[in-house]
Amino acid sequence: MIPKIDPTSTLSWKRLKAHFEDVKALQMRDLFEEDSSRFERFSVQRENLLLDFSKNRVTEETMALLRSLAQECEVEEGIKAMFVGAAINETEHRAVLHSALRNRSASPVYVDGENVMPAVQEVLAQMQAFAYRVICGEHKGFTGRPIETVVNIGIGGSDLGPYMVVEALKHYANRLDVRFVSNVDATHLVEQCKGLDPETTLFIIASKTFTTQETMTNARSARAWLIAHLGDEDCISKQMVALSTNRSAVEDFGIDLAHMFPFWDWVGGRYSLWSAIGLSIMLAVGPDHFEALLEGAYEEDERVQEEGVESVSGILAMLSVWYGNFFGVETHAVLPYDQYLHRFPAFLQQADMESNGKAVDRNGKRTTHETGSIIWGEPGTNGQHAFYQLIHQGTKLIPCDFIAFAQSLNPTGDHHHKLMANCFAQGMALMQGKDEVTVRKELVASGMDSVQIDALLPYKVFKGNIPTTTLLFDRLTPRSLGQLIAIYEHKILIEGLLLNVYSFDQWGVELGKELAKPVLKNILDRTEVDDLDASTRGLILAMQNFTNRSS
Ligand code: G6Q
């Protein structure tokens, strides 16, 4: 089973606390000056990937203490438990095996004594056969025309991952136009379907449970749209497919079971893009690229099992625990310097915050330490002209991850050199800052008098010493994207193991699913809304009044 060690009870934690007092004031620019090999010692160089974590507020001793914390917390045992299919999601009594979906070896993977690999391969083959038929135009819509547009209807884990990957791999896209609808706000469905030809549109209903309110509402409206335009209920069998674990609900909805692509309860929603939930990806870029995505992830699965906390994922996880618990950092920015990754921060936000946003530990006790941090970000360089101001000069310490690719997929003039220059310059500036002496020199050189200089100087000083970690890949390919995603998935796993939380349940999400029901009932019934609090009642009544007035 999964170890249940409170990190704060370990000797390493106490040592880290004392060590923090020694190093908290250290300036990274001094650490670089004192140690010419700092970059080499705090970076990981692999064939197609460089992890540079030298611009972090750590010393060799910090890393050694974090490693020994991981040892005391038996992180390696936890990693092993996940990969062998133990039910490490204990609150839901489930194994956590997204790794089995990308297992490229011949080794079996057991859940409750059953090898799941034949079923995994069978579904992959089913997806491939279907994807080839749709892409080459062999799978026709109800009126005999080939499919041109695919609309994935899903939310949360059944949307964010596939949407992020489809956007990230646009360079590799084929002729199909693949779109996503998630919000229960009809505007999303209406706008995404605007101008679409109902005869050539395929809907994918992506829902693990096939009961999620938003998805089922959108699915019903999509079905009505198809039937209204095509005039026959039979069109559903050609133009709607389902990705789910819930066979009977798919059948009840009226989708042909031959067009149901199953997966299993050991695939968590936010880790499901590798499963049938990835059908939209496979349709967008083709089965070969989807396999390359799986291969990239598999490489990281192998690495994390071999290297544990020494892996790229392990280092990211240890740094996050260090900042969250010793520096009191609350948020972490993820800043991809690649336009194709514009949905990556949103994807990671769910993956990380839903996994480690917990306050009860694996012993059922409230934690006395900090757990998951707030993940946010936007692609560079856009963020530089917006929120980077607060990172540079605000009152909060915000560690940043930069994600970049050495080669552009769209080489055009000097765009890429400028993009990379901005990425590297930001890391440098955040680390070095700009001290008073330098600012004063610049202001003197600009011809200002001493009164003007004294007035302006404090605003132009940058304290620096802001940690950044850079992940630099050679090129954005399906394989490197698979690596990138898996690196962060395993960062989340290891951080959760260190923090002693259950990373693979999501009771907060389940609560959200329940909460809307009584409110909806009151809105629909237009009855007395006595059982709700005064504020909610007031909002419902105001909504009803506004609606009545305008109707
Ligand atoms: C992910 C969460 C959540 C889930 C959605 C959609 O880990 O559990 O985001 O993916 O609520 O659920 P369904 O796929 O069941 O519709």
Side-chain angles (χ1 to χ4, degrees):
M1 272 297 105
I2 191 166
K4 297 183 170 66
I5 297 150
D6 177 352
T8 64
S9 70
T10 63
L11 185 60
S12 309
W13 191 274
K14 286 173 194 89
R15 288 200 176 141
L16 276 162
K17 260 190 152 171
H19 171 71
F20 172 71
E21 293 305 319
D22 297 339
V23 298
K24 66 181 179 194
L26 291 183
Q27 296 292 314
M28 286 189 279
R29 50 180 176 262
D30 297 336
L31 297 176
F32 273 97
E33 252 168 49
E34 286 157 16
D35 176 6
S36 59
S37 64
R38 182 170 173 87
F39 169 72
E40 284 72 27
R41 290 194 298 113
F42 294 89
S43 61
V44 176
Q45 177 79 61
R46 295 196 350 215
E47 198 195 332
N48 72 331
L49 158 65
L50 167 76
L51 171 77
D52 174 16
F53 65 105
S54 60
K55 293 197 203 79
N56 276 282
R57 291 168 69 171
V58 294
T59 62
E60 289 281 12
E61 194 184 347
T62 319
M63 297 312 292
L65 287 171
L66 287 166
R67 265 180 230 121
S68 77
L69 174 69
Q71 233 168 27
E72 282 191 81
C73 292
E74 297 177 16
V75 164
E76 309 234 333
E77 300 308 309
I79 296 174
K80 262 186 221 143
M82 183 182 95
F83 280 92
V84 300
I88 64 165
N89 176 0
E90 287 186 16
T91 61
E92 294 182 310
H93 315 290
R94 286 177 183 170
V96 177
L97 272 180
H98 39 282
S99 54
L101 302 164
R102 58 224 189 183
N103 174 17
R104 309 271 93 196
S105 76
S107 319
V109 180
Y110 293 100
V111 176
D112 295 331
E114 189 194 334
N115 179 13
V116 297
M117 287 317 297
V120 167
Q121 273 140 12
E122 194 184 316
V123 176
L124 198 57
Q126 185 198 359
M127 290 164 69
Q128 283 165 342
F130 182 70
Y132 279 129
R133 293 184 63 232
V134 175
I135 295 166
C136 76
E138 203 179 293
H139 175 90
K140 307 263 195 295
F142 182 63
T143 59
R145 291 175 55 199
I147 299 299
E148 281 167 14
T149 310
V150 176
V151 181
N152 185 89
I153 295 180
I155 196 164
S158 301
D159 168 75
L160 284 157
Y163 183 24
M164 179 275 286
V165 174
V166 167
E167 289 297 299
L169 297 183
K170 264 220 159 101
H171 180 77
Y172 304 88
N174 54 38
R175 65 172 191 88
L176 294 172
D177 172 4
V178 179
R179 303 176 176 202
F180 290 82
V181 172
S182 51
N183 201 331
V184 73
D185 183 343
T187 300
H188 204 181
L189 181 67
V190 169
E191 287 296 336
Q192 289 297 70
C193 292
K194 226 176 225 172
L196 292 190
D197 185 342
E199 292 185 43
T200 59
T201 300
L202 174 79
F203 287 96
I204 298 178
I205 313 305
S207 177
K208 181 173 169 180
T209 54
F210 231 70
T211 56
T212 304
Q213 186 197 57
E214 292 91 332
T215 301
M216 297 325 293
T217 305
N218 279 321
R220 281 189 286 270
S221 298
R223 181 175 58 185
W225 181 80
L226 278 180
I227 295 172
H229 286 89
L230 301 178
D232 194 325
E233 290 210 356
D234 286 351
C235 65
I236 300 310
S237 68
K238 292 277 181 194
Q239 292 184 227
M240 273 197 155
V241 305
L243 324 174
S244 189
T245 57
N246 189 346
R247 197 178 160 86
S248 59
V250 170
E251 197 169 18
D252 291 349
F253 186 87
I255 290 179
D256 183 352
L257 287 180
H259 285 154
M260 174 184 167
F261 299 83
F263 58 111
W264 309 273
D265 69 358
W266 42 262
V267 182
R270 54 195 173 278
Y271 298 91
S272 64
L273 69 91
W274 321 98
S275 71
I277 289 291
L279 184 66
S280 53
I281 303 172
M282 202 188 262
L283 287 166
V285 298
D288 292 350
H289 289 317
F290 189 78
E291 287 228 15
L293 183 81
L294 300 183
E295 273 160 21
Y298 175 65
E299 186 179 332
E300 296 309 319
D301 293 343
E302 293 289 279
R303 291 226 177 237
V304 82
Q305 289 177 85
E306 277 162 30
E307 298 169 7
V309 291
E310 301 297 343
S311 64
V312 171
S313 306
I315 293 167
L316 295 177
M318 291 192 291
L319 290 173
S320 185
V321 170
W322 174 234
Y323 291 122
N325 274 284
F326 298 91
F327 282 84
V329 154
E330 296 208 322
T331 90
H332 193 114
V334 178
L335 308 161
Y337 276 72
D338 191 297
Q339 189 57 31
Y340 283 124
L341 288 188
H342 71 106
R343 291 294 295 169
F344 191 74
F347 161 76
L348 197 61
Q349 196 168 57
Q350 179 195 26
D352 202 311
M353 292 171 71
E354 205 169 289
S355 297
N356 288 335
K358 314 283 163 68
V360 175
D361 72 10
R362 292 197 290 264
N363 298 307
K365 298 209 174 70
R366 280 199 83 82
T367 63
T368 53
H369 55 278
E370 290 296 327
T371 59
S373 30
I374 300 161
I375 305 290
W376 59 284
E378 279 287 323
T381 59
N382 298 8
Q384 289 173 211
H385 296 264
F387 52 78
Y388 277 38
Q389 164 62 34
L390 187 144
I391 303 177
H392 279 286
Q393 286 191 307
T395 52
K396 295 171 175 59
L397 181 66
I398 303 177
C400 306
D401 287 3
F402 293 138
I403 299 164
F405 298 87
Q407 298 165 47
S408 171
L409 295 176
N410 297 295
T412 308
D414 60 359
H415 284 244
H416 195 62
H417 292 125
K418 286 177 176 158
L419 176 71
M420 300 303 278
N422 273 283
C423 174
F424 300 158
Q426 284 295 327
M428 191 169 74
L430 288 165
M431 184 262 284
Q432 286 177 345
K434 205 176 200 183
D435 61 16
E436 264 193 53
V437 178
T438 315
V439 176
R440 190 174 290 281
K441 258 194 217 154
E442 281 179 9
L443 294 178
V444 169
S446 75
M448 276 188 189
D449 65 34
S450 64
V451 176
Q452 287 172 316
I453 291 176
D454 286 344
L456 193 56
L457 191 130
Y459 301 102
K460 304 230 2 164
V461 169
F462 292 74
K463 62 186 184 329
N465 220 18
I466 297 157
T468 61
T469 302
T470 303
L471 269 159
L472 177 66
F473 287 86
D474 56 351
R475 194 177 157 84
L476 177 54
T477 61
R479 189 186 177 96
S480 63
L481 182 68
Q483 284 177 269
L484 174 69
I485 301 168
I487 282 173
Y488 275 99
E489 284 181 348
H490 297 325
K491 175 258 180 187
I492 295 164
L493 163 74
I494 294 174
E495 188 169 4
L497 290 169
L498 283 165
L499 297 171
N500 196 31
V501 293
Y502 286 120
S503 301
F504 299 100
D505 60 15
Q506 57 286 311
W507 298 106
V509 179
E510 312 303 333
L511 172 73
K513 291 189 180 186
E514 287 307 310
L515 276 181
K517 287 182 189 164
V519 180
L520 175 65
K521 189 173 177 310
N522 278 299
I523 290 176
L524 291 175
D525 288 356
R526 295 179 171 242
T527 51
E528 252 323 290
V529 283
D530 279 346
D531 51 341
L532 301 176
D533 66 83
S535 165
T536 312
R537 200 162 58 221
L539 287 167
I540 294 174
L541 291 174
M543 178 190 158
Q544 288 169 348
N545 287 338
F546 286 137
T547 314
N548 291 342
R549 243 188 275 161
S550 60
S551 59

